[in-house]
Amino acid sequence: MSDDTALPRASQPTGACLFDGQPAVHLRSPAGAQATVLLHGSHVVSWIPALGEEQLYLSPTSALGGTAAVRGGVPVIFPQFNQQGPLPKHGFARNRAWTLQEATVRGEHAFAVLRLDADESTRAIWPHGFALEMTISVDARRLEMELAVINTGDSTIEFQAALHTYLRCGDVRRAQLEGLQNVNYQDAVIDQPRQQWVDVVTIAQELDRIYWEAPRELLLREAGRKVRIIASQFEDTVVWNPGPEKCASLPDMPDEDWPQMLCVEAAQIGNPVRLSPGEEWAGMQTLVLES
């Protein structure tokens, strides 16, 4: 992926920009932390902490913009998770053009607010009034992403939601995800319920799990790096890596890239959210680079 902004990334201010030719917003905190968000899908495609390196995986062969979902970064899943309903896979929010409401620096934080409102195209497949707001904030070592859902219609809505976060790894086979011991999960690879018996999740082949009512804090640990993953108001956690065989079947990801990523997704799947007219729900995922 190339960055088509006029300034080198290190010196970009907070504000509108282009990313690989697509409309985006770039955030830069006073300490030098950075994030880039596509207006297509309100999709976070880059997070670089101050004096750090890229922390998100973005496939170099994924298309950006248009109607195709982006492979990598942080897709917004709404109002349906995966194929658990009649809508397109993972719903429609990740494939819509959002509107930038605000992008500014305040104190130690740079943040942006993007919005998606119901329109004729969304009502054609999901006949409800709604508004989504994504607030993305960076400070020196932290990325915060909050998804808010407002029922703007005149009837109750029910939805699932997730922040489908692709974390970059040096080699996922040498990484450990800690904090899920004794949590029940659905193993989508074998389509069976299971329980996590040990504290550490390791990856050597395809892994696709929904952990029900997961702990609020997890830790991804690699040699020389720790990323703390904190969820608020999201009850579940999805952990996914395609492994070598499935990765080879993905048209938008290089065959050799599967060891470079691990999805750890804050999600609301098992207990869909119900909102009466005028009500609002919000869930947040926070990533903190600890070393």
Side-chain angles (χ1 to χ4, degrees), residues 15 17 24 42 46 51 55 83 102 110 134 142 149 158 164 175-176 178 186 197 201 246 259 265 270 275 286:
C17 68
S42 189
S46 175
L51 303 178
Q55 300 298 309
Q83 295 172 312
E102 184 178 8
M134 267 288 287
R142 179 184 302 257
V149 183
E158 183 173 292
H164 193 333
Q176 297 180 338
E178 302 175 359
Q186 180 69 21
W197 290 351
V201 178
K246 187 165 186 177
E265 312 169 31
L275 292 181
T286 301

Side-chain angles (χ1 to χ4, degrees), residues 57-58 71-72 81-82 89-90 164-177 180 185-190 201-211 220 222 225 237-250 253-265:
Y57 171 81
L58 182 64
R71 174 74 66 187
F81 180 78
N82 204 346
K89 183 178 181 180
H90 287 323
H164 193 333
T165 304
Y166 286 71
L167 293 167
R168 179 175 290 277
C169 295
D171 186 339
V172 75
R173 293 164 293 189
R174 295 183 173 86
Q176 297 180 338
L177 181 64
L180 290 165
Y185 66 88
Q186 180 69 21
D187 190 325
V189 176
I190 59 175
V201 178
T202 57
I203 293 86
Q205 55 188 359
E206 182 184 1
L207 186 142
D208 190 353
R209 300 173 179 177
I210 303 174
Y211 286 87
L220 178 64
E222 294 188 277
R225 171 177 176 253
T237 296
V238 178
V239 182
W240 179 73
N241 181 285
E245 293 183 6
K246 187 165 186 177
C247 188
S249 71
L250 297 175
M253 185 172 174
D255 296 356
E256 67 276 9
D257 269 20
W258 71 271
Q260 297 180 25
M261 53 73 63
L262 180 65
C263 282
V264 183
E265 312 169 31

Side-chain angles (χ1 to χ4, degrees), residues 58-140:
L58 182 64
S59 172
T61 57
S62 179
L64 300 182
T67 59
V70 177
R71 174 74 66 187
V74 187
V76 176
I77 307 306
F78 175 90
Q80 173 185 297
F81 180 78
N82 204 346
Q83 295 172 312
Q84 297 188 12
L87 297 177
K89 183 178 181 180
H90 287 323
F92 51 74
R94 63 180 182 159
N95 285 328
R96 291 295 193 281
W98 293 51
T99 302
L100 178 62
Q101 303 289 296
E102 184 178 8
T104 191
V105 176
R106 188 173 298 158
E108 296 301 314
H109 299 262
F111 71 93
V113 181
L114 292 87
R115 184 178 173 102
L116 177 69
D117 288 281
D119 59 19
E120 290 183 3
S121 66
T122 64
R123 289 190 178 95
I125 58 175
W126 199 61
H128 302 289
F130 69 89
L132 305 183
E133 287 191 349
M134 267 288 287
T135 302
I136 302 100
S137 172
V138 289
D139 62 17

